[in-house]
Amino acid sequence: MRATTLVFLGILCMLLGSIIFATSRPKDATADSTAPPSGYTGAPGDAGTCVTCHTGASGTGFVYLATTRPWGYVPGVAETLDVGIAEPSATQNRWGFEVTILKDSDKSMAGTLTPIPVLGVRVGTAVSGGTTYLAHRSNGATAPLDPNDGTFWGQTGGIAWPFLWTGPPHGSGDVTIYVSTVAANGDQLATGADNTYTTTQSMPEMAPTPVSTTTWGKIKKQYH
């Protein structure tokens, strides 16, 4: 799928569903293009965020989370979420992210994170300390516009990565989504031209959709 289409998906989620965004103070960063190290989303127990390893000037963009349904999760139901970066600087053209979702009650893993099929090998998961992290993947591209590059090197204006999340069982309570992202300039150097953005957003548990049962007798009576 073209990178521009993925950006459109992120924008569509903003228009049709719920969107939560934050503009935490970004720092300079260099992208770890092959795969980011696990445990840098800012979640409890993590080693930090991208800012832990990367320092520098602030950027002017923001990171957002979006879903096509009202903001909240239905226990045990899979839904599509988006992590996106909006970056007005025309020099930012390489992207990265890492996300995890934990239960507020005990800070354990909330549900299941799964790469969405349309992204293929460009997104993957890793487990560290019992927590699953979903993040970009790359084939180590050495030039822009490589179709297997999960950093979408060469795309400007921003990018969005959709992914699948199946909520935890009923009674798990509220969860929190932890995200760390990178907007780099693609020069593969650690310079002040690369920015990172992070956000933390709470998501409430919603009531399961009621299911009414029926029987063959009820159906025959209805059409008698």
Side-chain angles (χ1 to χ4, degrees):
M1 179 175 286
R2 294 174 60 86
T4 52
T5 302
L6 294 175
V7 174
F8 174 77
L9 287 173
I11 296 173
L12 184 63
C13 284
M14 285 190 284
L15 295 175
L16 300 181
S18 302
I19 178 167
I20 304 294
F21 65 89
T23 56
S24 61
R25 183 182 185 277
K27 305 285 187 177
D28 175 68
T30 52
D32 189 335
S33 62
T34 302
S38 297
Y40 283 85
T41 66
D46 276 7
T49 67
C50 294
V51 178
T52 304
C53 301
H54 309 296
T55 60
S58 298
T60 56
F62 62 85
V63 57
Y64 65 84
L65 294 165
T67 177
T68 54
R69 66 174 64 189
W71 190 253
Y73 76 92
V74 178
V77 174
E79 61 181 291
T80 300
L81 298 176
D82 273 19
V83 168
I85 309 172
E87 174 61 71
S89 174
T91 62
Q92 311 310 117
N93 63 7
R94 198 166 194 180
W95 317 89
F97 84 104
E98 184 172 89
V99 60
T100 194
I101 306 177
L102 304 183
K103 291 186 286 186
D104 288 358
S105 59
D106 59 6
K107 310 305 179 187
S108 66
M109 188 66 206
T112 304
L113 293 168
T114 308
I116 198 166
V118 296
L119 286 178
V121 297
R122 292 173 288 187
V123 170
T125 59
V127 178
S128 177
T131 299
T132 301
Y133 298 89
L134 184 140
H136 72 270
R137 293 290 187 271
S138 177
N139 62 346
T142 57
L145 304 179
D146 188 309
N148 293 316
D149 175 27
T151 67
F152 297 97
W153 189 5
Q155 171 70 38
T156 59
I159 199 69
W161 296 269
F163 61 94
L164 297 176
W165 175 56
T166 301
H170 176 66
S172 296
D174 294 353
V175 303
T176 298
I177 307 173
Y178 301 87
V179 183
S180 187
T181 65
V182 177
N185 71 347
D187 64 1
Q188 305 186 66
L189 298 175
T191 71
D194 300 336
N195 302 315
T196 68
Y197 302 93
T198 60
T199 189
T200 300
Q201 296 295 336
S202 178
M203 178 178 278
E205 177 179 353
M206 301 175 70
T209 303
V211 177
S212 58
T213 59
T214 189
T215 64
W216 179 239
K218 290 180 181 179
I219 295 174
K220 289 193 294 183
K221 185 176 181 181
Q222 181 177 357
Y223 292 97
H224 182 68

